Amino acid sequence: MTETLRPSVGTAVPRKEDPQLLTGKGRWTGNIAPPGTVHIAVLRSPFARARIASLDVSEAAELPGVVGVFTGGDLAGEWSGIPCAWPVTEDIRIPDHLPVAVEQVRFAGEAVAVVAATDAAAAQDALQHIDIDYEPADPALDLEESLAGGPIVHEGFGSNESYTWSLGTGDVDKAFADADVTVSERYVQQRLQPTPLEDRAVVVTPEPTGRGFTLQSSTQIPHILRSVLAGVCSVPEQDLRVVAPDVGGGFGGKLNVYPEECIAVALARRLSVPVAWAAARSEDSQTMTHGRGQVQYVELAAREDGTLLGMRVRILADMGAYLQLLTPGIPLLSAFIFPGVYSFGSFAIECTGVFTNKTPTDSYRGAGRTEGIYGVERAMDALARTLGMDPAEVRRRNYHPPFDNGATTPAGLEMDSGNYEAALDKALELAGYERWRAEQRRRREAGDRVQLGIGLCSYTENGGLSPSKMTAALRLGAPGWEMASVRMLSTGAVQVVTGTSPHGQGHETTWAQIVADGLGVPLDSVEVVHGDTQSAPYGLDTYGSRSAAVGGTAVYLACEKVLAKARTLAAHMLEAAEQDLEFSDGAFSVAGVSGSRVTIQEVAGAAYLAADLPEGMEPGLSEEQFFDPPNFTYPFGTHVCVVEVDTDTGKVTIPDYFAVDDCGTVINPAIVDGQMHGGIAQGIGQALYEEAVYDDDGNLMSASLADYLVPGAPELPDFTLDHTVTPSPTNALGAKGAGESGSIAATPAVVNAVIDALQPFGVDHIDMPATPRRVWEAINRAVPTP
């Protein structure tokens, strides 16, 4: 009797990755130490801005266990500067960024010397014996003040402006002149520390032959890291193998090339031994790129019925001290998405990148899109308050009409598909919106100490960061294709090689689901290989909600190629015409002919033996696919957050949270829901808890988890999630992204809810994070609403 295989795509099959992780069999970079490993420790500047007056490492070099101590000058011949891959304008100012400073330090935590020792403790102890004198200077810290004047981060530039980029459509001045009402807001996107569970680590091992290196790193981008490191450290790319073992979270913080990876390659080459480095939590907080860091000036022009006419935005974006791979481009992602899900006639935005004496910024979950959606969704609530309208109704009146194959945004982007009103309606119904409004009115009338607030966010994002022609047009020096190889082994098992590099996203499960359905094989017979540039030589890795839409589609299309070849061979084996074959439950059969059947595993075996193949057919069932999509994908949805605010203490709690998201075709609902849970938690973290805090001297005061607050399970409600499904026309799967949507939507939904709760006190703004102290102060300095 033939076994019937159940469809896998669309079902919540358990994650294949989890048993290894849950049983302690994970392979983490920080635990890897080949025989003879030398451990390195990095001396870091305690000053945000200073000249290195003198540096003497002689005492440290004589300590037991110390193999060598190296300054920036000692290592200058080992590398060139770390590059920026996104020079957003022709006249952008890009400073030299050496892995170890030579004469000047520009943020607290910048590397100034390196100790190599036989064990990590000896290397760390030796740092105390390096004699270094600094000539400190006043740092540039405040974003607006840094642009206006004061200390210059890179003196040769003459100012702290890195670039100014602008975009405009329509006649914005006319829109504001014709408006019945305008709103003008200033919002701050505070700096965030990515804080993955696993700190950064790197191990570099020279190959025994004396040629080349294997680098293992807790990175999101093994392929990009290989290409960039090869250039920085002058290693032929074919001689550098990069492996991302199990990676304990990234959130964009591991989407970069860091000084420590360059240092490890340089010292492994110089010392001819394996070299390892692992960050401590406070060290990682100082040196891993930070996220966000913007001041936004947002203006809306509208008619008295709430219809938008135009939007005008100015963004000041904190670059930090240096430009990492994507630093200057993140605000452009904000700019393009700032119109959100709304249709209106004119739009103008200007972004200015500003250097400060702080840790460089770069991608953080929802990079740029979170900042842009926060700005527009806060402003939409401000417009609703000005007009005395319900915030849901203001949004509804301005949505793009439903579309299945393209709609142009006020920023000039061509979106793929969307149905925003359907998501809003479903979210309001799911939340019981009117019931919450009734309870809010009851508490306000009663003068309840604990006030209720309801916050909305309707969002979209340009995910699937990929199309190579578009990235080139934006001056991003990287393509966006993805690659997959699907090969059936002689036994009929399937091996999938993917260029994506997961760190919690569940690719081993979802890619196996795609293949199981495409080839009609059991899920357990599919192996997914990833994260190693030797076994997966082509790829562009994992970030920007691109994996399913680009990497998953490459897997799907490679399966289609395998199936097409298998069909040709099956027709030969069954002595039938290809067009007469049917394929179901993993077997080919001849239509209308009983008993004429061959399984795909039997076809794979015949292809392997190659004893009787059609004329001109090569042996084996193995195909590869490069997929470069024609457009981004645009996930969307509406979130509803309910908060309670204790007006005596300012404490905010979230009793309920509701979300309706649309990520196109859902491959694994449980994995999508898990991504939403994590993203919403991080969005709540920014709204209520998290902030990278510096003192007046530029020292990071939130470097430890005792000072940098991230929400845990006790701070989070049960999330009530649902979906609409609007497939993307840009890829064969119809998939959009899901990894960043929660973080994009949650932050404005939560803050809008807090401000909504404080309406009886006349509070119409609060900066993030909305800590109890900030909320209490806002209540006590506001004028109660009559």
Side-chain angles (χ1 to χ4, degrees), residues 202-214:
V202 59
V203 178
V204 178
T205 305
E207 291 299 323
T209 60
R211 174 177 175 175
F213 306 88
T214 294

Side-chain angles (χ1 to χ4, degrees), residues 174-490:
K174 185 176 187 304
F176 277 83
D178 293 346
D180 298 319
V181 63
T182 63
V183 296
S184 180
E185 299 282 299
R186 177 185 180 274
Y187 304 129
V188 176
Q189 281 276 330
Q190 78 273 34
R191 276 177 168 252
L192 300 179
Q193 299 162 208
T195 321
L197 187 63
E198 177 203 25
D199 294 317
R200 289 185 300 122
V202 59
V203 178
V204 178
T205 305
E207 291 299 323
T209 60
R211 174 177 175 175
F213 306 88
T214 294
L215 181 145
Q216 299 179 85
S217 178
S218 56
T219 183
Q220 297 176 221
I221 52 167
H223 297 90
I224 295 172
L225 180 59
R226 175 186 60 180
S227 297
V228 176
L229 271 181
V232 172
C233 296
S234 299
V235 177
E237 189 172 5
Q238 69 271 21
D239 291 346
L240 185 59
R241 175 188 180 190
V242 176
V243 180
D246 292 314
V247 177
F251 311 125
K254 295 179 181 176
L255 198 176
N256 242 299
V257 176
Y258 284 102
E260 295 81 12
E261 290 158 327
C262 304
I263 292 167
V265 169
L267 293 187
R269 176 168 54 195
R270 180 171 286 204
L271 301 174
S272 299
V273 295
V275 172
W277 172 82
R281 174 64 64 183
S282 58
E283 187 177 24
D284 228 10
S285 297
Q286 272 193 317
T287 58
M288 181 186 286
T289 55
H290 290 176
R292 316 292 189 241
Q294 291 185 3
V295 175
Q296 305 170 335
Y297 300 90
V298 185
E299 297 175 89
L300 297 182
R303 296 192 178 100
E304 61 183 9
D305 66 355
T307 303
L308 288 174
L309 298 176
M311 175 186 288
R312 192 158 48 203
V313 181
R314 184 178 181 230
I315 296 175
L316 303 182
D318 190 347
M319 304 287 95
Y322 298 101
L323 303 184
Q324 292 274 165
L325 283 182
L326 304 177
T327 305
I330 302 303
L332 272 63
L333 297 177
S334 303
F336 279 117
I337 210 64
F338 227 104
V341 294
Y342 307 113
S343 178
F344 50 90
S346 56
F347 174 63
I349 190 164
E350 181 182 88
C351 300
T352 300
V354 183
F355 291 114
T356 61
N357 290 114
K358 295 182 180 179
T359 302
T361 60
D362 207 291
S363 296
Y364 176 67
R365 195 173 192 169
R369 285 74 50 80
T370 295
E371 295 92 309
I373 293 298
Y374 180 84
V376 66
E377 288 301 289
R378 285 289 310 277
M380 290 299 284
D381 262 34
L383 177 61
R385 286 192 299 272
T386 300
L387 294 171
M389 293 178 63
D390 187 284
E393 182 59 28
V394 168
R395 287 167 169 81
R396 188 188 304 277
R397 293 189 182 191
N398 289 286
Y399 287 148
H400 284 270
F403 56 99
D404 295 323
N405 196 14
T408 304
T409 77
L413 295 180
E414 184 75 13
M415 299 184 291
D416 56 352
S417 61
N419 190 342
Y420 307 137
E421 191 166 1
L424 173 70
D425 289 341
K426 195 167 190 177
L428 297 180
E429 180 182 1
L430 187 71
Y433 184 69
E434 293 303 329
R435 175 177 60 84
W436 286 113
R437 287 295 183 197
E439 171 62 13
Q440 181 184 62
R441 288 191 294 270
R442 186 196 67 77
R443 294 195 192 190
R444 288 181 177 180
E445 291 167 1
D448 201 311
R449 177 177 60 84
V450 179
Q451 287 292 308
L452 193 73
I454 304 105
L456 300 181
C457 172
S458 288
Y459 76 94
T460 187
E461 56 157 318
N462 46 339
L465 183 61
S466 295
S468 298
K469 290 183 179 180
M470 291 189 183
T471 57
L474 292 172
R475 304 178 63 88
L476 173 56
W481 51 260
E482 196 47 80
M483 181 271 182
S485 172
V486 175
R487 51 199 185 215
M488 293 199 74
L489 307 181
S490 62

Side-chain angles (χ1 to χ4, degrees), residues 534-612:
Q534 181 168 284
S535 56
Y538 299 105
L540 287 165
D541 308 316
T542 295
Y543 45 85
S545 298
R546 68 187 300 272
S547 293
V550 190
T553 298
V555 171
Y556 176 87
L557 294 175
C559 283
E560 292 278 282
K561 287 183 176 180
V562 169
L563 192 62
K565 183 176 181 180
R567 181 181 293 275
T568 300
L569 181 51
H572 179 74
M573 295 168 69
L574 294 171
E575 298 181 348
E578 285 189 48
Q579 60 268 28
D580 293 335
L581 292 191
E582 296 177 341
F583 182 73
S584 64
D585 292 331
F588 295 95
S589 59
V590 182
V593 178
S594 177
S596 179
R597 182 178 183 275
V598 61
T599 67
I600 196 167
Q601 289 89 349
E602 291 169 332
V603 175
Y608 177 81
L609 290 174
D612 183 19

